[in-house]
Amino acid sequence: MEDDRGREKLPPIFTSPLTGFGQGMKKPHPCLSGFTSSTNHRRANTVCSHFGTELPPLSTDVRQKQRISIDTLPQEVKAPFPSDPVIPLRMKTAHQFQEDLERSLASGDWREVRAFYLTTFESFLELNAAFKREANAPFNTIEDSGIDSKFINTVFDALPQTPQDIQKSVLKGIINSLLREWKGPRTKDDLRAYFILVQNPQYSHTSTYVIYAHVLRQIVSLSEADQHFLMHWFKKLSPRRFKQLVERLLQFISTRLFPATPDDLPPISKCSWWIPSATRVLALLNAANSLSSPPILSYTDFYNIALDHIDIMGEYRTWHGNSNKFSFCQFPFILSAAVKKAIIQRDSEQQMISIARQSLVDKVSRRQRVDMNLLFLNIRVRRTQLLSDSLDELSRKRAELKKKLRVTFVGEAGLDMGGLTKEWFLLLVRQIFHTDYGMFTYLKESCCHWFSSWKCDNLSEFQLVGTLMGLAVYNSIALDIHFPPCCYKKLLTPPIVPCDQNTPVGMVTLGLDDLQQVMPDLAHGLSELLDYEGNVEEDFYLTFQVFQEELGVVKSYNLKTSGEKIPVTKLNRKEYVQLYVDFLLNKSIYKQFAAFYYGFHGVCASGALMLLRPEEVEVLVCGSLDLDMLALQKEVQYEGYNRNDTTIRCFWEVVLAFSVELQRKLLHFATGSDRVPVGGMAHLNFKISKIDVSTDWLPISHTCFNQICLPPYKSRKELKHKLTIAISNAEGFGLE
């Protein structure tokens, strides 16, 4: 992968006129025999006309060996590293450059602008001279790169407006810079040069990809400490520039995987290191994004949809097999939720097939009649005893949870083609999460459910909820469950069930931001406590003891030993808040959540869970909030109607004009959830059926089948009125 023998030669820079970056690159790459002399000329600040040489090796191992060899020399023969070269003073400002550019655009005389680009990009030293705010100041902190970002943006934004020979001269300069002979570790000025070069907009063209790949490779070759600096400098970029970097890298990876014209790029065998290098630089940007508060981009902006079309299970097996080979699974931020769901399902299917095969083998070896029901997880329940029957069935068939689910309601005819399974999920969830049942508390201020701290007499019921969530993921059912985001953080702590049963699970460090999503009023009060300027001890009169009401009885709990005797002061209030949050979200519900955790992982026990973010687990369980009604219109199936019927045309005119809130109500009315399955509307199997009744009737729905039944309304006004009443007054899950 990183073998130096596989290095691709840098492309030639042709001196003939160039009308676009796509021309001239398919010709054979010329190579000068006089590379040594050209290097000497380059050191004398003259630009070479052609380069066909390979880059020098710049691996971390090489630099490490250099350090070791110097450190092991006898003291008397050691020599200090030469000091950093003095950066020449360049006085041009962004404003002056902009004036030069405007004069050139008006007059057609580009000499001043050409000279600036030619000088600036011929070496790392000149890059620092042009863009460093103070030429010879150190700027050796992660917080300040010392770079004049406004000037860089002005210069790069102007570059596409310049003649082709100027754009070529920039590429020549970058090649010269990359060919510089390195000795010892990089300086901070070198890091600044990489920070500048990676922002070059020219890398959007495939004709520059060879150069771009070498820039990325050298960044990847930096030490971990140097990459740490770059990561923090990336955080300081504007959201627009940051997004451009991310999109350029994603485009580079996609184009290398699926080139529109393969002849534009070198053979994949000669540049196998391109994608790993780009992905690792993208990982730096992802880390920078994660460390920013709030994040610069959504985590979904790092998804590469092109990876939905590769052999993802091959990637997973490479990663899961502890191979040293590169795998996209090493960098899960680049994989979409749909890909991760596919990995989890296929991994579970392999486990399911293995279990089913073993069951069949056992039957055959005993010469028993083979029953095809062995291939399914068959659940038989009575509607009147839904919860207890479901708990009994899942407890008895724990070894079969990875089989395909099939539900039968006792005393009812019918084959489960998916509708009965969904109905079972919807009815169970509605019963379990009902406030009268007491397992979960509904918090109106945050519109979410949370675990009841006092309900721990029957932990198997919490395990059932976890099992239901796991089965929903495996069977592609979106559940109408409203847990706060911190629940999914806890569910992935750890992502793999520990072998030691005494190892705590679900115990994750949470803060006020997490409490805000569960109990916003309490979080606000604790935040005010932290910011209070007066006498905390006398004015608040708090101790490290808290109180909770459980079934009408107020109980006290110490946050630490003898907490009732320890007053909260200005000095220890941070500790008090942290312990209080930990008590509310971790310790007070530990037994309930542990049962819930083991139930979920009993079904989704897969190494693939390590690929998931907490937000992605929520999407897998509950679906996505992204509504696309136009996509739904394209995917809908009709029964008794066709797309040109008056009723259908009126329906879509009304729905597409609905507010997002009403569109969500419609989805909830028809499917039992206001969210979209992973993979989009195409996976919803939405159906509109005709019902031959009076138009005085309201529309009805069959949530088990994601179906709406419409009377033959003749006008848009009538349909809008009746549909709005139906979706706004549906109770529960809209089950008929």
Side-chain angles (χ1 to χ4, degrees), residues 169-192:
S169 72
V170 171
L171 295 175
K172 280 186 183 182
I174 294 173
I175 293 173
N176 290 344
S177 301
L178 296 176
L179 287 172
R180 174 183 170 191
E181 295 181 16
W182 297 103
K183 294 182 180 179
R186 305 290 197 271
T187 66
K188 295 299 178 288
D189 286 335
D190 295 333
L191 300 188
R192 272 181 275 276

PDB file of all heavy atoms in Angstrom, residues 169-192:
ATOM      1  N   SER A 169       2.126  27.644 -13.857  1.00  0.00           N
ATOM      2  CA  SER A 169       3.293  28.014 -13.053  1.00  0.00           C
ATOM      3  C   SER A 169       3.079  27.669 -11.585  1.00  0.00           C
ATOM      4  O   SER A 169       4.028  27.312 -10.875  1.00  0.00           O
ATOM      5  CB  SER A 169       3.597  29.505 -13.215  1.00  0.00           C
ATOM      6  OG  SER A 169       2.617  30.297 -12.554  1.00  0.00           O
ATOM      7  N   VAL A 170       1.831  27.777 -11.104  1.00  0.00           N
ATOM      8  CA  VAL A 170       1.535  27.391  -9.730  1.00  0.00           C
ATOM      9  C   VAL A 170       1.763  25.894  -9.542  1.00  0.00           C
ATOM     10  O   VAL A 170       2.377  25.456  -8.560  1.00  0.00           O
ATOM     11  CB  VAL A 170       0.084  27.771  -9.368  1.00  0.00           C
ATOM     12  CG1 VAL A 170      -0.315  27.168  -8.020  1.00  0.00           C
ATOM     13  CG2 VAL A 170      -0.077  29.279  -9.335  1.00  0.00           C
ATOM     14  N   LEU A 171       1.288  25.097 -10.494  1.00  0.00           N
ATOM     15  CA  LEU A 171       1.500  23.655 -10.401  1.00  0.00           C
ATOM     16  C   LEU A 171       2.980  23.305 -10.471  1.00  0.00           C
ATOM     17  O   LEU A 171       3.458  22.409  -9.765  1.00  0.00           O
ATOM     18  CB  LEU A 171       0.729  22.946 -11.518  1.00  0.00           C
ATOM     19  CG  LEU A 171      -0.798  23.054 -11.447  1.00  0.00           C
ATOM     20  CD1 LEU A 171      -1.431  22.423 -12.677  1.00  0.00           C
ATOM     21  CD2 LEU A 171      -1.326  22.408 -10.184  1.00  0.00           C
ATOM     22  N   LYS A 172       3.730  24.015 -11.317  1.00  0.00           N
ATOM     23  CA  LYS A 172       5.181  23.798 -11.374  1.00  0.00           C
ATOM     24  C   LYS A 172       5.811  24.067 -10.017  1.00  0.00           C
ATOM     25  O   LYS A 172       6.647  23.293  -9.529  1.00  0.00           O
ATOM     26  CB  LYS A 172       5.810  24.744 -12.393  1.00  0.00           C
ATOM     27  CG  LYS A 172       5.702  24.336 -13.842  1.00  0.00           C
ATOM     28  CD  LYS A 172       6.503  25.323 -14.664  1.00  0.00           C
ATOM     29  CE  LYS A 172       6.408  25.047 -16.155  1.00  0.00           C
ATOM     30  NZ  LYS A 172       7.223  25.987 -16.940  1.00  0.00           N
ATOM     31  N   GLY A 173       5.406  25.182  -9.423  1.00  0.00           N
ATOM     32  CA  GLY A 173       5.980  25.532  -8.126  1.00  0.00           C
ATOM     33  C   GLY A 173       5.676  24.495  -7.064  1.00  0.00           C
ATOM     34  O   GLY A 173       6.542  24.176  -6.230  1.00  0.00           O
ATOM     35  N   ILE A 174       4.473  23.962  -7.077  1.00  0.00           N
ATOM     36  CA  ILE A 174       4.108  22.938  -6.093  1.00  0.00           C
ATOM     37  C   ILE A 174       4.971  21.696  -6.285  1.00  0.00           C
ATOM     38  O   ILE A 174       5.458  21.098  -5.322  1.00  0.00           O
ATOM     39  CB  ILE A 174       2.613  22.602  -6.207  1.00  0.00           C
ATOM     40  CG1 ILE A 174       1.768  23.814  -5.798  1.00  0.00           C
ATOM     41  CG2 ILE A 174       2.259  21.392  -5.334  1.00  0.00           C
ATOM     42  CD1 ILE A 174       0.287  23.628  -6.031  1.00  0.00           C
ATOM     43  N   ILE A 175       5.179  21.307  -7.551  1.00  0.00           N
ATOM     44  CA  ILE A 175       6.036  20.153  -7.821  1.00  0.00           C
ATOM     45  C   ILE A 175       7.449  20.411  -7.303  1.00  0.00           C
ATOM     46  O   ILE A 175       8.057  19.553  -6.652  1.00  0.00           O
ATOM     47  CB  ILE A 175       6.062  19.847  -9.332  1.00  0.00           C
ATOM     48  CG1 ILE A 175       4.692  19.358  -9.789  1.00  0.00           C
ATOM     49  CG2 ILE A 175       7.107  18.783  -9.656  1.00  0.00           C
ATOM     50  CD1 ILE A 175       4.568  19.190 -11.277  1.00  0.00           C
ATOM     51  N   ASN A 176       7.982  21.590  -7.579  1.00  0.00           N
ATOM     52  CA  ASN A 176       9.324  21.923  -7.088  1.00  0.00           C
ATOM     53  C   ASN A 176       9.384  21.840  -5.570  1.00  0.00           C
ATOM     54  O   ASN A 176      10.362  21.337  -4.998  1.00  0.00           O
ATOM     55  CB  ASN A 176       9.714  23.334  -7.547  1.00  0.00           C
ATOM     56  CG  ASN A 176       9.974  23.415  -9.042  1.00  0.00           C
ATOM     57  OD1 ASN A 176      10.160  22.398  -9.699  1.00  0.00           O
ATOM     58  ND2 ASN A 176       9.964  24.621  -9.585  1.00  0.00           N
ATOM     59  N   SER A 177       8.336  22.321  -4.914  1.00  0.00           N
ATOM     60  CA  SER A 177       8.305  22.281  -3.452  1.00  0.00           C
ATOM     61  C   SER A 177       8.283  20.846  -2.943  1.00  0.00           C
ATOM     62  O   SER A 177       8.971  20.503  -1.981  1.00  0.00           O
ATOM     63  CB  SER A 177       7.069  23.026  -2.938  1.00  0.00           C
ATOM     64  OG  SER A 177       7.076  24.369  -3.366  1.00  0.00           O
ATOM     65  N   LEU A 178       7.492  19.998  -3.594  1.00  0.00           N
ATOM     66  CA  LEU A 178       7.389  18.612  -3.148  1.00  0.00           C
ATOM     67  C   LEU A 178       8.675  17.828  -3.384  1.00  0.00           C
ATOM     68  O   LEU A 178       8.934  16.826  -2.715  1.00  0.00           O
ATOM     69  CB  LEU A 178       6.226  17.920  -3.869  1.00  0.00           C
ATOM     70  CG  LEU A 178       4.827  18.472  -3.582  1.00  0.00           C
ATOM     71  CD1 LEU A 178       3.795  17.749  -4.435  1.00  0.00           C
ATOM     72  CD2 LEU A 178       4.473  18.347  -2.113  1.00  0.00           C
ATOM     73  N   LEU A 179       9.487  18.266  -4.338  1.00  0.00           N
ATOM     74  CA  LEU A 179      10.729  17.570  -4.656  1.00  0.00           C
ATOM     75  C   LEU A 179      11.903  18.023  -3.794  1.00  0.00           C
ATOM     76  O   LEU A 179      13.008  17.536  -3.953  1.00  0.00           O
ATOM     77  CB  LEU A 179      11.088  17.781  -6.134  1.00  0.00           C
ATOM     78  CG  LEU A 179      10.210  17.012  -7.126  1.00  0.00           C
ATOM     79  CD1 LEU A 179      10.513  17.442  -8.547  1.00  0.00           C
ATOM     80  CD2 LEU A 179      10.414  15.518  -6.965  1.00  0.00           C
ATOM     81  N   ARG A 180      11.660  18.952  -2.914  1.00  0.00           N
ATOM     82  CA  ARG A 180      12.742  19.446  -2.059  1.00  0.00           C
ATOM     83  C   ARG A 180      13.291  18.309  -1.204  1.00  0.00           C
ATOM     84  O   ARG A 180      12.553  17.454  -0.717  1.00  0.00           O
ATOM     85  CB  ARG A 180      12.191  20.557  -1.157  1.00  0.00           C
ATOM     86  CG  ARG A 180      13.191  21.062  -0.123  1.00  0.00           C
ATOM     87  CD  ARG A 180      12.519  22.093   0.767  1.00  0.00           C
ATOM     88  NE  ARG A 180      13.364  22.432   1.901  1.00  0.00           N
ATOM     89  CZ  ARG A 180      12.968  23.138   2.942  1.00  0.00           C
ATOM     90  NH1 ARG A 180      11.724  23.561   2.981  1.00  0.00           N
ATOM     91  NH2 ARG A 180      13.789  23.411   3.928  1.00  0.00           N
ATOM     92  N   GLU A 181      14.596  18.281  -0.977  1.00  0.00           N
ATOM     93  CA  GLU A 181      15.216  17.240  -0.153  1.00  0.00           C
ATOM     94  C   GLU A 181      15.001  17.592   1.319  1.00  0.00           C
ATOM     95  O   GLU A 181      15.374  18.675   1.763  1.00  0.00           O
ATOM     96  CB  GLU A 181      16.715  17.139  -0.457  1.00  0.00           C
ATOM     97  CG  GLU A 181      17.021  16.666  -1.872  1.00  0.00           C
ATOM     98  CD  GLU A 181      18.505  16.552  -2.126  1.00  0.00           C
ATOM     99  OE1 GLU A 181      19.264  16.551  -1.146  1.00  0.00           O
ATOM    100  OE2 GLU A 181      18.892  16.476  -3.288  1.00  0.00           O
ATOM    101  N   TRP A 182      14.412  16.623   2.053  1.00  0.00           N
ATOM    102  CA  TRP A 182      14.113  16.879   3.462  1.00  0.00           C
ATOM    103  C   TRP A 182      15.178  16.250   4.351  1.00  0.00           C
ATOM    104  O   TRP A 182      15.644  15.155   4.100  1.00  0.00           O
ATOM    105  CB  TRP A 182      12.746  16.289   3.812  1.00  0.00           C
ATOM    106  CG  TRP A 182      11.646  16.930   3.051  1.00  0.00           C
ATOM    107  CD1 TRP A 182      10.987  16.423   1.982  1.00  0.00           C
ATOM    108  CD2 TRP A 182      11.122  18.238   3.254  1.00  0.00           C
ATOM    109  NE1 TRP A 182      10.065  17.322   1.515  1.00  0.00           N
ATOM    110  CE2 TRP A 182      10.129  18.445   2.284  1.00  0.00           C
ATOM    111  CE3 TRP A 182      11.389  19.264   4.165  1.00  0.00           C
ATOM    112  CZ2 TRP A 182       9.398  19.620   2.199  1.00  0.00           C
ATOM    113  CZ3 TRP A 182      10.665  20.431   4.089  1.00  0.00           C
ATOM    114  CH2 TRP A 182       9.677  20.602   3.113  1.00  0.00           C
ATOM    115  N   LYS A 183      15.535  16.955   5.416  1.00  0.00           N
ATOM    116  CA  LYS A 183      16.488  16.419   6.388  1.00  0.00           C
ATOM    117  C   LYS A 183      15.914  16.659   7.778  1.00  0.00           C
ATOM    118  O   LYS A 183      15.667  17.795   8.159  1.00  0.00           O
ATOM    119  CB  LYS A 183      17.846  17.099   6.262  1.00  0.00           C
ATOM    120  CG  LYS A 183      18.539  16.797   4.932  1.00  0.00           C
ATOM    121  CD  LYS A 183      19.902  17.455   4.858  1.00  0.00           C
ATOM    122  CE  LYS A 183      20.589  17.139   3.534  1.00  0.00           C
ATOM    123  NZ  LYS A 183      21.905  17.782   3.415  1.00  0.00           N
ATOM    124  N   GLY A 184      15.731  15.574   8.524  1.00  0.00           N
ATOM    125  CA  GLY A 184      15.211  15.727   9.870  1.00  0.00           C
ATOM    126  C   GLY A 184      13.721  16.005   9.881  1.00  0.00           C
ATOM    127  O   GLY A 184      13.040  15.965   8.864  1.00  0.00           O
ATOM    128  N   PRO A 185      13.194  16.285  11.066  1.00  0.00           N
ATOM    129  CA  PRO A 185      11.753  16.521  11.193  1.00  0.00           C
ATOM    130  C   PRO A 185      11.332  17.823  10.531  1.00  0.00           C
ATOM    131  O   PRO A 185      12.136  18.714  10.298  1.00  0.00           O
ATOM    132  CB  PRO A 185      11.546  16.587  12.718  1.00  0.00           C
ATOM    133  CG  PRO A 185      12.877  17.001  13.259  1.00  0.00           C
ATOM    134  CD  PRO A 185      13.905  16.397  12.362  1.00  0.00           C
ATOM    135  N   ARG A 186      10.042  17.926  10.251  1.00  0.00           N
ATOM    136  CA  ARG A 186       9.514  19.120   9.609  1.00  0.00           C
ATOM    137  C   ARG A 186       9.494  20.299  10.577  1.00  0.00           C
ATOM    138  O   ARG A 186       9.338  20.123  11.783  1.00  0.00           O
ATOM    139  CB  ARG A 186       8.072  18.882   9.115  1.00  0.00           C
ATOM    140  CG  ARG A 186       7.903  17.694   8.208  1.00  0.00           C
ATOM    141  CD  ARG A 186       8.561  17.959   6.855  1.00  0.00           C
ATOM    142  NE  ARG A 186       8.062  17.024   5.871  1.00  0.00           N
ATOM    143  CZ  ARG A 186       8.599  15.847   5.634  1.00  0.00           C
ATOM    144  NH1 ARG A 186       9.640  15.460   6.331  1.00  0.00           N
ATOM    145  NH2 ARG A 186       8.095  15.057   4.709  1.00  0.00           N
ATOM    146  N   THR A 187       9.616  21.478  10.034  1.00  0.00           N
ATOM    147  CA  THR A 187       9.465  22.685  10.846  1.00  0.00           C
ATOM    148  C   THR A 187       8.012  23.124  10.795  1.00  0.00           C
ATOM    149  O   THR A 187       7.234  22.668   9.956  1.00  0.00           O
ATOM    150  CB  THR A 187      10.355  23.814  10.311  1.00  0.00           C
ATOM    151  OG1 THR A 187       9.871  24.205   9.007  1.00  0.00           O
ATOM    152  CG2 THR A 187      11.813  23.368  10.195  1.00  0.00           C
ATOM    153  N   LYS A 188       7.670  24.049  11.658  1.00  0.00           N
ATOM    154  CA  LYS A 188       6.305  24.575  11.630  1.00  0.00           C
ATOM    155  C   LYS A 188       6.046  25.347  10.340  1.00  0.00           C
ATOM    156  O   LYS A 188       4.904  25.415   9.871  1.00  0.00           O
ATOM    157  CB  LYS A 188       6.057  25.459  12.850  1.00  0.00           C
ATOM    158  CG  LYS A 188       6.094  24.708  14.175  1.00  0.00           C
ATOM    159  CD  LYS A 188       5.025  23.631  14.222  1.00  0.00           C
ATOM    160  CE  LYS A 188       5.072  22.847  15.518  1.00  0.00           C
ATOM    161  NZ  LYS A 188       6.236  21.947  15.596  1.00  0.00           N
ATOM    162  N   ASP A 189       7.080  25.925   9.755  1.00  0.00           N
ATOM    163  CA  ASP A 189       6.895  26.599   8.468  1.00  0.00           C
ATOM    164  C   ASP A 189       6.542  25.601   7.376  1.00  0.00           C
ATOM    165  O   ASP A 189       5.767  25.902   6.465  1.00  0.00           O
ATOM    166  CB  ASP A 189       8.159  27.378   8.083  1.00  0.00           C
ATOM    167  CG  ASP A 189       8.331  28.644   8.910  1.00  0.00           C
ATOM    168  OD1 ASP A 189       7.309  29.159   9.409  1.00  0.00           O
ATOM    169  OD2 ASP A 189       9.467  29.119   9.062  1.00  0.00           O
ATOM    170  N   ASP A 190       7.113  24.388   7.452  1.00  0.00           N
ATOM    171  CA  ASP A 190       6.731  23.340   6.499  1.00  0.00           C
ATOM    172  C   ASP A 190       5.258  22.976   6.667  1.00  0.00           C
ATOM    173  O   ASP A 190       4.531  22.789   5.688  1.00  0.00           O
ATOM    174  CB  ASP A 190       7.591  22.083   6.708  1.00  0.00           C
ATOM    175  CG  ASP A 190       9.061  22.331   6.401  1.00  0.00           C
ATOM    176  OD1 ASP A 190       9.346  23.223   5.592  1.00  0.00           O
ATOM    177  OD2 ASP A 190       9.905  21.626   6.981  1.00  0.00           O
ATOM    178  N   LEU A 191       4.806  22.865   7.926  1.00  0.00           N
ATOM    179  CA  LEU A 191       3.399  22.553   8.178  1.00  0.00           C
ATOM    180  C   LEU A 191       2.500  23.646   7.612  1.00  0.00           C
ATOM    181  O   LEU A 191       1.438  23.361   7.050  1.00  0.00           O
ATOM    182  CB  LEU A 191       3.141  22.409   9.684  1.00  0.00           C
ATOM    183  CG  LEU A 191       3.910  21.326  10.442  1.00  0.00           C
ATOM    184  CD1 LEU A 191       3.378  21.201  11.861  1.00  0.00           C
ATOM    185  CD2 LEU A 191       3.814  19.989   9.731  1.00  0.00           C
ATOM    186  N   ARG A 192       2.944  24.894   7.769  1.00  0.00           N
ATOM    187  CA  ARG A 192       2.158  25.996   7.213  1.00  0.00           C
ATOM    188  C   ARG A 192       2.051  25.876   5.698  1.00  0.00           C
ATOM    189  O   ARG A 192       1.003  26.153   5.102  1.00  0.00           O
ATOM    190  CB  ARG A 192       2.777  27.336   7.615  1.00  0.00           C
ATOM    191  CG  ARG A 192       2.287  27.863   8.946  1.00  0.00           C
ATOM    192  CD  ARG A 192       2.918  29.202   9.275  1.00  0.00           C
ATOM    193  NE  ARG A 192       4.203  29.041   9.910  1.00  0.00           N
ATOM    194  CZ  ARG A 192       4.376  28.829  11.215  1.00  0.00           C
ATOM    195  NH1 ARG A 192       3.332  28.793  12.008  1.00  0.00           N
ATOM    196  NH2 ARG A 192       5.573  28.683  11.725  1.00  0.00           N
TER     197      ARG A 192
END
